[in-house]
Amino acid sequence: MKAEQQINKFFAKQKQFFDHQAPGIISKTAVEYYKESFRKKAFDGKPWPAMSKGYKPKRGSLMVRSSKLLNSIRDTMTTAERVVISAGNSKVPYAKIHNEGGVINRASRSELFIRNRNKANNRFRKGTKSGRGSTFKSFTARMPQRQFMGYSFELNERIIKRIKAAYKSA
């Protein structure tokens, strides 16, 4: 009877570790790894494709200018059965096209706007004249895949190492 209680206690301890501590370790490790992809400009050992010759960046480096995409990587859900890490939000709708690559189709559109300037201080002021229209042509752009999230052998190795270290110390 005593051996049976010890075995039950042992497995209860295992369940507690894998239900409560392991998902947090997985989540934290994955978010760190995905954010690190921006610094290395590579994912799972594969570097991102080079920029096209016609592209001239305004400032900063590729996909890191404002850090909105980088900062949108977060842990969405962590339970004993599932860990979900996501990127993008309403301010970063381009996360999916950067991660997966693809074609961007933009429809033609027209806009009406008023840009009156105050002559004294050369600043914009409320419009008093009728608006001036602008028309923008439709275009298609090919976005190469610059993956920063997804399945990764390197990430799996890191997670296994961290879980083993945490389990030994617990």
Side-chain angles (χ1 to χ4, degrees):
M1 186 70 165
K2 189 170 184 158
E4 185 179 332
Q5 288 175 343
Q6 287 178 336
I7 291 171
N8 288 340
K9 187 177 179 182
F10 173 79
F11 282 113
K13 195 175 185 181
Q14 306 300 318
K15 182 174 176 18
Q16 193 273 334
F17 175 79
F18 285 103
D19 283 353
H20 299 288
Q21 291 179 333
I25 294 168
I26 293 168
S27 167
K28 186 177 177 184
T29 306
V31 169
E32 286 173 10
Y33 182 79
Y34 295 149
K35 287 185 176 187
E36 200 176 283
S37 297
F38 285 89
R39 187 180 48 78
K40 294 190 297 185
K41 294 183 182 174
F43 183 76
D44 203 23
K46 299 175 205 153
W48 289 345
M51 298 298 297
S52 64
K53 292 178 184 176
Y55 180 76
K56 292 182 176 45
K58 293 174 185 158
R59 61 180 166 84
S61 104
L62 170 72
M63 290 175 40
V64 189
R65 275 184 212 104
S66 68
S67 298
K68 287 181 184 176
L69 180 56
L70 174 70
N71 293 332
S72 74
I73 299 172
R74 67 201 176 286
D75 172 22
T76 308
M77 181 174 73
T78 303
T79 65
E81 295 83 28
R82 179 181 226 174
V83 174
V84 178
I85 310 296
S86 61
N89 53 38
S90 61
K91 294 180 182 177
V92 189
Y94 48 85
K96 183 177 180 180
I97 194 77
H98 276 286
N99 193 48
E100 297 173 4
V103 178
I104 301 170
N105 293 314
R106 197 72 196 257
S108 59
R109 67 187 196 285
S110 331
E111 292 180 3
L112 182 68
F113 61 93
I114 301 170
R115 297 283 246 202
N116 295 323
R117 288 194 180 264
N118 188 343
K119 290 181 182 175
N121 60 9
N122 203 27
R123 292 191 177 162
F124 294 116
R125 62 186 164 99
K126 208 172 197 177
T128 55
K129 299 178 186 172
S130 59
R132 195 174 97 205
S134 284
T135 304
F136 300 94
K137 293 180 181 178
S138 64
F139 71 90
T140 302
R142 177 108 184 99
M143 175 66 75
Q145 182 183 24
R146 291 191 171 89
Q147 188 174 8
F148 56 92
M149 289 182 73
Y151 176 79
S152 167
F153 182 75
E154 288 179 14
L155 175 60
N156 285 350
E157 294 297 314
R158 280 191 197 181
I159 289 171
I160 290 167
K161 267 188 201 173
R162 288 189 179 179
I163 287 177
K164 282 181 179 179
Y167 183 75
K168 284 180 183 177
S169 67

